[in-house]
Structure formats: structure tokens, C-alpha cells
Amino acid sequence: MSRQLKWVFCMIMVMMVVISYPSNMGAAEANQNKESSISVPYTVKPGDTLFAISKKYYLTGQFEQVAKANGLDPKAGLKAGAVIKLNNPLVLDYYAVQQGDTVYAITNRYFNRTKYMDALMTYNGITSPDTGLKIGMALRIPLPSGEGKHTVLKGDTLYNLSVRYFKAQDYQQAIVQANGMDAASSKIQAGDDLQIPNPYYRTKFESKAAGIVPAKLSIEIDITKNKLYVKSGGTVKKSFNIASGKKAGLTPTGSFEIMTKIENPWYSAKGIPGGDPKNPLGSRWLGLSVPNTQGTKYGIHGTNAPSSIGTNASAGCIRMLNEDVEWLFDMIPNGTEVTIHK
């Protein structure tokens, strides 16, 4: 082979490596993200909804992620006894304290060396405890203080790694902190309902405790004054004029939550698509958790009749100017508490 042909051949090989490199990296990253998922099985109880499960285990009303992970219709009901998976929930479980329980004993119930080894395998996509480790392998180490890294050395075993990285007191502290308990005494009483946190998300609990995340907002609606107030604690941060039910009793009163959020909602009663100037729901919909409605019947929404704002004009929903409801839509997450009163 001539020198020129050798040079051409080498260049072709280099180009093939360069072209294949990004796709290989992308596949590695995708596998890494997939492998870091830890799923918790949950058995559906009578009366459970996706919204309620999401609130309980993710501390948010974003139930669509639970539905998607399980191939479910987010608007459909759940069958009692069915088992669904909760991917990386913020809360692993809730535990009713029994007489004689201690935080240490509860810690060992949920977090012990055997379960840590299982978590270590799942976190890294390892299927065999005997042959899963390879020298030089980059392990992701799940820890309460945040993810760690470990390069597998000759002689490493899952058990030895669990001895090195698993510290029971760290997991005990995660339970104490998630439940707002006194770290010094860790006193619990029979009947207490303890939140068992996913310790690998502990930083989220720390951020809430330290006040790093924005203060929780709530909504108060006065249908007599046709006013909507956005509050932080007991302080009104912003107020809006609204329209409420045109007859007494049409707008439900009580305590609810924002259950669904939809941009450019369709007006299904007359088949008017979202974004149509004739659509009476305007540009945004924030559905309320009124019992047996799944957030689809009563909501806070925009309007195509701005002159109705400040009056009693709706069929039961809360109307706002489109620019006002768009601000609310962007600022208020699912799960936000809404109180409606006269």
C-alpha cells in the first residue's frame, strides 16, 4: 500500500471515530440517567387518586408524571388493589409509630446494609451482586448528603462498599430532619405518622427548612366582593378583580387545591378550540379539586368577555382577565391551596 493510500485510510478511520463519538456519549448519558432511577411500588387503596398520591409522595400536585410512568390516563380513576410504580419519590413511605418504637429502630426498618446494597445495585443498573462490579467501573453512590462517586478497584465487593459508605446515623438524621423533629432528643410517640424521606433527596428538605425555596403561596377568593387574593402566609401579595357565579350557590365554597393547569383550554361543551376568540375560557385554566370533578368542572380561567369582570356572571367558575390569569398560571403551582368564601 502506498504512503498516500495509507494516509487516506487513516483519515477515514479518524473521521469514523469522530462521527461515532457523540452518539456513543449520548447513549452512555441516557443509560446513566436510566440507571439512576429507583422505583417504589405502591398498592392503590380505595378512594386513591393520582393527584392525592402525587401530593403524598412527591409533595406536589404534578400527578401527570405518575400517570405517564405507569401508562395511565391522568383523567381516569384508579382501581383499588392495582400496583403502580413511583419513580424516585421524595417520600418513600409513611409509618405509624408503634408503642416502644425509636427513630433508630425505624431507621433500621427502612435503611439497613442489605437495603443499601439493593439501592446501590438499582442506582447503577447492576443485576448480579457477584459479577456486576468491574474494575475501573465508575459507580454512582447514593448518599443522604448527595451523590458520591467511586471507581471500582480490584477486590471491591458490594458488601465492602456498603460498609464504607452506609452510615446508619446519616439515615436516622434524614428521618429526623424530614419530620421537623428535635435532633437532640428524637422523641416520638405512638400514633405519630412519620414521613420516611428518600434520603438521596435530602437537600430538598434542607432547602425548605432553611427557607431557600420561595415562600408557599395560597389563594383566597371572596365571591361577595368578587376579589381574588394571592397570599404569602397571612400577607396579601397581589389582588385581582374576578367574576363569579351569576346565581347564589353556583360557585362552590370551601377549601380546595389547584389540581390541573391547561394553556389555551378547549371549551368542550361547544367544541370551541383553545385560542379561539370565541372561547369563553380564555387563555388559561387552573382546575379546582372540587370533589368528584377531577379538576375539570370548576376552575379559575380567563375570559373573552372582559366587561364581565367584577360582576356575578359565570356558571360557577372564577373568571379573570386573560393577562391576570396568565400571571397567576405562571406563579401558582399545582397543589396550591384555594379558599373560596362569601
Side-chain angles (χ1 to χ4, degrees):
M1 184 181 291
S2 68
R3 181 179 299 177
Q4 186 177 8
L5 286 176
K6 287 182 179 180
W7 182 85
V8 171
F9 180 78
C10 289
M11 289 301 296
I12 292 173
M13 293 298 294
V14 169
M15 290 299 294
M16 289 178 65
V17 171
V18 170
I19 291 171
S20 66
Y21 182 77
S23 60
N24 289 339
M25 286 297 291
E29 289 176 2
N31 287 336
Q32 189 179 52
N33 289 336
K34 182 179 180 181
E35 289 165 358
S36 67
S37 175
I38 294 178
S39 295
V40 175
Y42 176 80
T43 303
V44 177
K45 300 176 179 61
D48 271 345
T49 63
L50 286 170
F51 179 76
I53 293 170
S54 180
K55 282 283 292 180
K56 193 171 183 180
Y57 287 90
Y58 293 92
L59 306 184
T60 172
Q62 300 283 9
F63 61 90
E64 291 89 352
Q65 62 182 344
V66 179
K68 184 178 180 180
N70 290 276
L72 300 173
D73 179 353
K75 296 181 181 179
L78 295 175
K79 183 178 180 180
V83 178
I84 61 176
K85 64 179 180 180
L86 304 177
N87 289 334
N88 294 324
L90 191 60
V91 178
L92 293 179
D93 198 7
Y94 289 81
Y95 178 75
V97 177
Q98 308 296 311
Q99 193 69 40
D101 270 341
T102 64
V103 177
Y104 180 78
I106 295 170
T107 300
N108 283 336
R109 177 187 179 96
Y110 288 94
F111 310 109
N112 55 50
R113 187 150 291 131
T114 299
K115 292 185 177 179
Y116 183 81
M117 289 174 62
D118 291 340
L120 187 59
M121 290 176 62
T122 306
Y123 208 67
N124 288 277
I126 296 173
T127 56
S128 171
D130 300 317
T131 61
L133 293 184
K134 307 295 182 183
I135 296 175
M137 180 180 183
L139 283 185
R140 307 173 73 182
I141 307 295
L143 297 168
S145 57
E147 182 180 281
K149 304 291 182 183
H150 178 85
T151 301
V152 177
L153 304 174
K154 184 178 181 179
D156 275 344
T157 65
L158 286 171
Y159 179 79
N160 289 342
L161 292 177
S162 70
V163 171
R164 176 174 176 176
Y165 290 105
F166 177 79
K167 308 297 179 186
Q169 62 269 25
D170 294 337
Y171 293 83
Q172 179 173 327
Q173 179 62 23
I175 294 177
V176 168
Q177 188 165 13
N179 290 277
M181 297 159 57
D182 183 351
S185 62
S186 300
K187 289 183 178 179
I188 54 177
Q189 295 181 347
D192 287 349
D193 195 25
L194 287 188
Q195 190 179 70
I196 308 300
N198 185 338
Y200 319 130
Y201 285 162
R202 182 179 167 195
T203 52
K204 292 189 178 182
F205 288 99
E206 289 177 341
S207 296
K208 288 184 178 182
I212 297 173
V213 295
K216 185 176 181 180
L217 298 177
S218 63
I219 295 173
E220 178 188 345
I221 298 173
D222 186 328
I223 57 177
T224 299
K225 297 180 180 179
N226 279 321
K227 284 282 191 179
L228 182 149
Y229 304 99
V230 178
K231 292 184 170 183
S232 176
T235 304
V236 175
K237 295 296 184 181
K238 203 170 181 66
S239 64
F240 299 96
N241 293 322
I242 62 164
S244 57
K246 55 188 173 184
K247 293 182 180 179
L250 281 180
T251 299
T253 57
S255 296
F256 311 105
E257 293 180 343
I258 299 297
M259 188 173 179
T260 57
K261 294 175 63 178
I262 304 173
E263 295 187 35
N264 295 319
W266 275 61
Y267 184 54
S268 56
K270 294 187 177 181
I272 302 176
D276 191 307
K278 296 179 182 179
N279 192 319
L281 300 181
S283 59
R284 300 290 186 273
W285 170 273
L286 294 92
L288 299 174
S289 62
V290 177
N292 303 314
T293 67
Q294 299 297 316
T296 61
K297 184 174 181 179
Y298 297 99
I300 303 169
H301 63 77
T303 184
N304 65 343
S307 61
S308 67
I309 300 301
T311 70
N312 298 97
S314 79
C317 289
I318 303 299
R319 290 183 192 174
M320 301 180 71
L321 294 173
N322 285 330
E323 56 266 33
D324 291 345
V325 78
E326 287 170 12
W327 180 92
L328 194 69
F329 187 96
D330 291 339
M331 294 297 295
I332 297 297
N334 275 342
T336 298
E337 296 176 1
V338 179
T339 302
I340 304 177
H341 62 83
K342 298 179 181 179

PDB file of all heavy atoms in Angstrom, residues 151-175:
ATOM      1  N   THR A 151     -14.647   4.739  41.977  1.00  0.00           N
ATOM      2  CA  THR A 151     -14.064   3.935  40.906  1.00  0.00           C
ATOM      3  C   THR A 151     -13.736   2.559  41.466  1.00  0.00           C
ATOM      4  O   THR A 151     -12.981   2.436  42.435  1.00  0.00           O
ATOM      5  CB  THR A 151     -12.788   4.592  40.355  1.00  0.00           C
ATOM      6  OG1 THR A 151     -13.116   5.892  39.850  1.00  0.00           O
ATOM      7  CG2 THR A 151     -12.204   3.756  39.227  1.00  0.00           C
ATOM      8  N   VAL A 152     -14.321   1.534  40.887  1.00  0.00           N
ATOM      9  CA  VAL A 152     -14.162   0.170  41.392  1.00  0.00           C
ATOM     10  C   VAL A 152     -12.706  -0.283  41.266  1.00  0.00           C
ATOM     11  O   VAL A 152     -12.088  -0.176  40.209  1.00  0.00           O
ATOM     12  CB  VAL A 152     -15.085  -0.801  40.632  1.00  0.00           C
ATOM     13  CG1 VAL A 152     -14.860  -2.234  41.111  1.00  0.00           C
ATOM     14  CG2 VAL A 152     -16.540  -0.404  40.826  1.00  0.00           C
ATOM     15  N   LEU A 153     -12.174  -0.777  42.380  1.00  0.00           N
ATOM     16  CA  LEU A 153     -10.805  -1.274  42.440  1.00  0.00           C
ATOM     17  C   LEU A 153     -10.810  -2.800  42.573  1.00  0.00           C
ATOM     18  O   LEU A 153     -11.846  -3.401  42.903  1.00  0.00           O
ATOM     19  CB  LEU A 153     -10.071  -0.655  43.630  1.00  0.00           C
ATOM     20  CG  LEU A 153     -10.033   0.881  43.686  1.00  0.00           C
ATOM     21  CD1 LEU A 153      -9.410   1.335  44.991  1.00  0.00           C
ATOM     22  CD2 LEU A 153      -9.300   1.448  42.489  1.00  0.00           C
ATOM     23  N   LYS A 154      -9.678  -3.399  42.339  1.00  0.00           N
ATOM     24  CA  LYS A 154      -9.561  -4.843  42.485  1.00  0.00           C
ATOM     25  C   LYS A 154      -9.881  -5.236  43.927  1.00  0.00           C
ATOM     26  O   LYS A 154      -9.368  -4.647  44.875  1.00  0.00           O
ATOM     27  CB  LYS A 154      -8.142  -5.289  42.119  1.00  0.00           C
ATOM     28  CG  LYS A 154      -7.955  -6.810  42.140  1.00  0.00           C
ATOM     29  CD  LYS A 154      -6.551  -7.197  41.716  1.00  0.00           C
ATOM     30  CE  LYS A 154      -6.381  -8.720  41.720  1.00  0.00           C
ATOM     31  NZ  LYS A 154      -5.025  -9.132  41.295  1.00  0.00           N
ATOM     32  N   GLY A 155     -10.766  -6.216  44.094  1.00  0.00           N
ATOM     33  CA  GLY A 155     -11.133  -6.671  45.426  1.00  0.00           C
ATOM     34  C   GLY A 155     -12.396  -6.035  45.972  1.00  0.00           C
ATOM     35  O   GLY A 155     -12.925  -6.480  46.996  1.00  0.00           O
ATOM     36  N   ASP A 156     -12.916  -4.993  45.323  1.00  0.00           N
ATOM     37  CA  ASP A 156     -14.148  -4.351  45.784  1.00  0.00           C
ATOM     38  C   ASP A 156     -15.330  -5.315  45.659  1.00  0.00           C
ATOM     39  O   ASP A 156     -15.433  -6.070  44.680  1.00  0.00           O
ATOM     40  CB  ASP A 156     -14.450  -3.092  44.959  1.00  0.00           C
ATOM     41  CG  ASP A 156     -13.722  -1.865  45.473  1.00  0.00           C
ATOM     42  OD1 ASP A 156     -13.244  -1.906  46.617  1.00  0.00           O
ATOM     43  OD2 ASP A 156     -13.646  -0.865  44.741  1.00  0.00           O
ATOM     44  N   THR A 157     -16.207  -5.272  46.647  1.00  0.00           N
ATOM     45  CA  THR A 157     -17.470  -6.005  46.587  1.00  0.00           C
ATOM     46  C   THR A 157     -18.580  -5.057  47.007  1.00  0.00           C
ATOM     47  O   THR A 157     -18.325  -4.024  47.642  1.00  0.00           O
ATOM     48  CB  THR A 157     -17.473  -7.217  47.534  1.00  0.00           C
ATOM     49  OG1 THR A 157     -17.397  -6.742  48.897  1.00  0.00           O
ATOM     50  CG2 THR A 157     -16.318  -8.160  47.239  1.00  0.00           C
ATOM     51  N   LEU A 158     -19.803  -5.404  46.676  1.00  0.00           N
ATOM     52  CA  LEU A 158     -20.928  -4.561  47.075  1.00  0.00           C
ATOM     53  C   LEU A 158     -21.019  -4.467  48.595  1.00  0.00           C
ATOM     54  O   LEU A 158     -21.342  -3.422  49.154  1.00  0.00           O
ATOM     55  CB  LEU A 158     -22.232  -5.113  46.495  1.00  0.00           C
ATOM     56  CG  LEU A 158     -22.441  -4.888  44.994  1.00  0.00           C
ATOM     57  CD1 LEU A 158     -23.642  -5.673  44.509  1.00  0.00           C
ATOM     58  CD2 LEU A 158     -22.633  -3.410  44.693  1.00  0.00           C
ATOM     59  N   TYR A 159     -20.733  -5.572  49.266  1.00  0.00           N
ATOM     60  CA  TYR A 159     -20.795  -5.541  50.734  1.00  0.00           C
ATOM     61  C   TYR A 159     -19.740  -4.589  51.295  1.00  0.00           C
ATOM     62  O   TYR A 159     -20.043  -3.774  52.173  1.00  0.00           O
ATOM     63  CB  TYR A 159     -20.582  -6.941  51.311  1.00  0.00           C
ATOM     64  CG  TYR A 159     -20.624  -6.958  52.824  1.00  0.00           C
ATOM     65  CD1 TYR A 159     -21.847  -6.939  53.503  1.00  0.00           C
ATOM     66  CD2 TYR A 159     -19.452  -6.947  53.575  1.00  0.00           C
ATOM     67  CE1 TYR A 159     -21.891  -6.927  54.890  1.00  0.00           C
ATOM     68  CE2 TYR A 159     -19.492  -6.924  54.958  1.00  0.00           C
ATOM     69  CZ  TYR A 159     -20.714  -6.918  55.613  1.00  0.00           C
ATOM     70  OH  TYR A 159     -20.754  -6.883  56.984  1.00  0.00           O
ATOM     71  N   ASN A 160     -18.500  -4.695  50.803  1.00  0.00           N
ATOM     72  CA  ASN A 160     -17.450  -3.809  51.307  1.00  0.00           C
ATOM     73  C   ASN A 160     -17.765  -2.338  51.029  1.00  0.00           C
ATOM     74  O   ASN A 160     -17.486  -1.459  51.853  1.00  0.00           O
ATOM     75  CB  ASN A 160     -16.102  -4.177  50.681  1.00  0.00           C
ATOM     76  CG  ASN A 160     -15.559  -5.493  51.211  1.00  0.00           C
ATOM     77  OD1 ASN A 160     -15.986  -5.970  52.261  1.00  0.00           O
ATOM     78  ND2 ASN A 160     -14.643  -6.094  50.477  1.00  0.00           N
ATOM     79  N   LEU A 161     -18.365  -2.077  49.872  1.00  0.00           N
ATOM     80  CA  LEU A 161     -18.733  -0.700  49.540  1.00  0.00           C
ATOM     81  C   LEU A 161     -19.843  -0.207  50.458  1.00  0.00           C
ATOM     82  O   LEU A 161     -19.857   0.957  50.864  1.00  0.00           O
ATOM     83  CB  LEU A 161     -19.163  -0.606  48.082  1.00  0.00           C
ATOM     84  CG  LEU A 161     -18.060  -0.823  47.043  1.00  0.00           C
ATOM     85  CD1 LEU A 161     -18.626  -0.781  45.640  1.00  0.00           C
ATOM     86  CD2 LEU A 161     -16.954   0.219  47.202  1.00  0.00           C
ATOM     87  N   SER A 162     -20.783  -1.098  50.799  1.00  0.00           N
ATOM     88  CA  SER A 162     -21.859  -0.687  51.704  1.00  0.00           C
ATOM     89  C   SER A 162     -21.311  -0.387  53.095  1.00  0.00           C
ATOM     90  O   SER A 162     -21.767   0.541  53.768  1.00  0.00           O
ATOM     91  CB  SER A 162     -22.943  -1.770  51.769  1.00  0.00           C
ATOM     92  OG  SER A 162     -22.477  -2.915  52.458  1.00  0.00           O
ATOM     93  N   VAL A 163     -20.318  -1.157  53.543  1.00  0.00           N
ATOM     94  CA  VAL A 163     -19.680  -0.899  54.833  1.00  0.00           C
ATOM     95  C   VAL A 163     -18.992   0.463  54.811  1.00  0.00           C
ATOM     96  O   VAL A 163     -19.050   1.225  55.781  1.00  0.00           O
ATOM     97  CB  VAL A 163     -18.654  -2.006  55.163  1.00  0.00           C
ATOM     98  CG1 VAL A 163     -17.832  -1.631  56.389  1.00  0.00           C
ATOM     99  CG2 VAL A 163     -19.368  -3.335  55.392  1.00  0.00           C
ATOM    100  N   ARG A 164     -18.378   0.776  53.674  1.00  0.00           N
ATOM    101  CA  ARG A 164     -17.628   2.024  53.568  1.00  0.00           C
ATOM    102  C   ARG A 164     -18.540   3.252  53.515  1.00  0.00           C
ATOM    103  O   ARG A 164     -18.246   4.273  54.142  1.00  0.00           O
ATOM    104  CB  ARG A 164     -16.752   1.975  52.309  1.00  0.00           C
ATOM    105  CG  ARG A 164     -15.991   3.268  52.030  1.00  0.00           C
ATOM    106  CD  ARG A 164     -15.035   3.097  50.873  1.00  0.00           C
ATOM    107  NE  ARG A 164     -14.367   4.338  50.544  1.00  0.00           N
ATOM    108  CZ  ARG A 164     -13.432   4.468  49.621  1.00  0.00           C
ATOM    109  NH1 ARG A 164     -13.029   3.399  48.937  1.00  0.00           N
ATOM    110  NH2 ARG A 164     -12.881   5.635  49.371  1.00  0.00           N
ATOM    111  N   TYR A 165     -19.644   3.138  52.776  1.00  0.00           N
ATOM    112  CA  TYR A 165     -20.448   4.332  52.520  1.00  0.00           C
ATOM    113  C   TYR A 165     -21.736   4.429  53.351  1.00  0.00           C
ATOM    114  O   TYR A 165     -22.268   5.516  53.538  1.00  0.00           O
ATOM    115  CB  TYR A 165     -20.814   4.411  51.032  1.00  0.00           C
ATOM    116  CG  TYR A 165     -19.627   4.712  50.154  1.00  0.00           C
ATOM    117  CD1 TYR A 165     -19.034   3.714  49.374  1.00  0.00           C
ATOM    118  CD2 TYR A 165     -19.075   5.983  50.115  1.00  0.00           C
ATOM    119  CE1 TYR A 165     -17.944   3.984  48.566  1.00  0.00           C
ATOM    120  CE2 TYR A 165     -17.981   6.269  49.310  1.00  0.00           C
ATOM    121  CZ  TYR A 165     -17.414   5.267  48.538  1.00  0.00           C
ATOM    122  OH  TYR A 165     -16.322   5.549  47.749  1.00  0.00           O
ATOM    123  N   PHE A 166     -22.244   3.286  53.833  1.00  0.00           N
ATOM    124  CA  PHE A 166     -23.505   3.332  54.577  1.00  0.00           C
ATOM    125  C   PHE A 166     -23.243   3.637  56.050  1.00  0.00           C
ATOM    126  O   PHE A 166     -22.550   2.888  56.732  1.00  0.00           O
ATOM    127  CB  PHE A 166     -24.251   2.001  54.458  1.00  0.00           C
ATOM    128  CG  PHE A 166     -25.517   1.956  55.267  1.00  0.00           C
ATOM    129  CD1 PHE A 166     -26.669   2.564  54.797  1.00  0.00           C
ATOM    130  CD2 PHE A 166     -25.548   1.343  56.506  1.00  0.00           C
ATOM    131  CE1 PHE A 166     -27.836   2.545  55.546  1.00  0.00           C
ATOM    132  CE2 PHE A 166     -26.705   1.310  57.267  1.00  0.00           C
ATOM    133  CZ  PHE A 166     -27.857   1.923  56.784  1.00  0.00           C
ATOM    134  N   LYS A 167     -23.821   4.738  56.528  1.00  0.00           N
ATOM    135  CA  LYS A 167     -23.729   5.140  57.932  1.00  0.00           C
ATOM    136  C   LYS A 167     -25.149   5.340  58.463  1.00  0.00           C
ATOM    137  O   LYS A 167     -25.846   6.270  58.056  1.00  0.00           O
ATOM    138  CB  LYS A 167     -22.926   6.436  58.096  1.00  0.00           C
ATOM    139  CG  LYS A 167     -21.540   6.406  57.420  1.00  0.00           C
ATOM    140  CD  LYS A 167     -20.636   5.341  58.023  1.00  0.00           C
ATOM    141  CE  LYS A 167     -19.270   5.307  57.330  1.00  0.00           C
ATOM    142  NZ  LYS A 167     -18.427   4.195  57.804  1.00  0.00           N
ATOM    143  N   ALA A 168     -25.564   4.444  59.358  1.00  0.00           N
ATOM    144  CA  ALA A 168     -26.945   4.462  59.843  1.00  0.00           C
ATOM    145  C   ALA A 168     -27.345   5.807  60.425  1.00  0.00           C
ATOM    146  O   ALA A 168     -28.487   6.264  60.270  1.00  0.00           O
ATOM    147  CB  ALA A 168     -27.144   3.351  60.881  1.00  0.00           C
ATOM    148  N   GLN A 169     -26.392   6.481  61.109  1.00  0.00           N
ATOM    149  CA  GLN A 169     -26.737   7.751  61.736  1.00  0.00           C
ATOM    150  C   GLN A 169     -27.127   8.818  60.713  1.00  0.00           C
ATOM    151  O   GLN A 169     -27.930   9.714  61.006  1.00  0.00           O
ATOM    152  CB  GLN A 169     -25.586   8.257  62.619  1.00  0.00           C
ATOM    153  CG  GLN A 169     -24.281   8.549  61.889  1.00  0.00           C
ATOM    154  CD  GLN A 169     -23.350   7.360  61.851  1.00  0.00           C
ATOM    155  OE1 GLN A 169     -23.804   6.209  61.935  1.00  0.00           O
ATOM    156  NE2 GLN A 169     -22.041   7.611  61.760  1.00  0.00           N
ATOM    157  N   ASP A 170     -26.576   8.721  59.492  1.00  0.00           N
ATOM    158  CA  ASP A 170     -26.929   9.685  58.445  1.00  0.00           C
ATOM    159  C   ASP A 170     -28.388   9.511  58.026  1.00  0.00           C
ATOM    160  O   ASP A 170     -29.105  10.489  57.789  1.00  0.00           O
ATOM    161  CB  ASP A 170     -26.026   9.511  57.221  1.00  0.00           C
ATOM    162  CG  ASP A 170     -24.571   9.870  57.517  1.00  0.00           C
ATOM    163  OD1 ASP A 170     -24.351  10.641  58.479  1.00  0.00           O
ATOM    164  OD2 ASP A 170     -23.692   9.394  56.800  1.00  0.00           O
ATOM    165  N   TYR A 171     -28.829   8.270  57.933  1.00  0.00           N
ATOM    166  CA  TYR A 171     -30.203   7.990  57.519  1.00  0.00           C
ATOM    167  C   TYR A 171     -31.182   8.304  58.646  1.00  0.00           C
ATOM    168  O   TYR A 171     -32.308   8.742  58.412  1.00  0.00           O
ATOM    169  CB  TYR A 171     -30.306   6.535  57.050  1.00  0.00           C
ATOM    170  CG  TYR A 171     -29.514   6.316  55.782  1.00  0.00           C
ATOM    171  CD1 TYR A 171     -28.141   6.087  55.841  1.00  0.00           C
ATOM    172  CD2 TYR A 171     -30.119   6.410  54.546  1.00  0.00           C
ATOM    173  CE1 TYR A 171     -27.395   5.939  54.685  1.00  0.00           C
ATOM    174  CE2 TYR A 171     -29.385   6.259  53.386  1.00  0.00           C
ATOM    175  CZ  TYR A 171     -28.025   6.034  53.460  1.00  0.00           C
ATOM    176  OH  TYR A 171     -27.289   5.902  52.308  1.00  0.00           O
ATOM    177  N   GLN A 172     -30.745   8.081  59.877  1.00  0.00           N
ATOM    178  CA  GLN A 172     -31.569   8.471  61.021  1.00  0.00           C
ATOM    179  C   GLN A 172     -31.769   9.980  61.017  1.00  0.00           C
ATOM    180  O   GLN A 172     -32.881  10.471  61.248  1.00  0.00           O
ATOM    181  CB  GLN A 172     -30.902   8.020  62.325  1.00  0.00           C
ATOM    182  CG  GLN A 172     -31.693   8.408  63.575  1.00  0.00           C
ATOM    183  CD  GLN A 172     -31.095   7.804  64.837  1.00  0.00           C
ATOM    184  OE1 GLN A 172     -30.556   6.709  64.805  1.00  0.00           O
ATOM    185  NE2 GLN A 172     -31.194   8.508  65.941  1.00  0.00           N
ATOM    186  N   GLN A 173     -30.700  10.727  60.745  1.00  0.00           N
ATOM    187  CA  GLN A 173     -30.791  12.172  60.705  1.00  0.00           C
ATOM    188  C   GLN A 173     -31.720  12.646  59.583  1.00  0.00           C
ATOM    189  O   GLN A 173     -32.436  13.637  59.727  1.00  0.00           O
ATOM    190  CB  GLN A 173     -29.392  12.781  60.509  1.00  0.00           C
ATOM    191  CG  GLN A 173     -29.362  14.304  60.422  1.00  0.00           C
ATOM    192  CD  GLN A 173     -29.869  14.968  61.689  1.00  0.00           C
ATOM    193  OE1 GLN A 173     -29.853  14.378  62.767  1.00  0.00           O
ATOM    194  NE2 GLN A 173     -30.345  16.200  61.553  1.00  0.00           N
ATOM    195  N   ALA A 174     -31.750  11.913  58.470  1.00  0.00           N
ATOM    196  CA  ALA A 174     -32.637  12.266  57.364  1.00  0.00           C
ATOM    197  C   ALA A 174     -34.097  12.173  57.797  1.00  0.00           C
ATOM    198  O   ALA A 174     -34.915  13.036  57.460  1.00  0.00           O
ATOM    199  CB  ALA A 174     -32.371  11.354  56.164  1.00  0.00           C
ATOM    200  N   ILE A 175     -34.448  11.117  58.554  1.00  0.00           N
ATOM    201  CA  ILE A 175     -35.816  10.964  59.057  1.00  0.00           C
ATOM    202  C   ILE A 175     -36.145  12.079  60.047  1.00  0.00           C
ATOM    203  O   ILE A 175     -37.224  12.684  59.994  1.00  0.00           O
ATOM    204  CB  ILE A 175     -36.004   9.584  59.720  1.00  0.00           C
ATOM    205  CG1 ILE A 175     -35.886   8.474  58.673  1.00  0.00           C
ATOM    206  CG2 ILE A 175     -37.349   9.494  60.437  1.00  0.00           C
ATOM    207  CD1 ILE A 175     -35.992   7.072  59.246  1.00  0.00           C
TER     208      ILE A 175
END
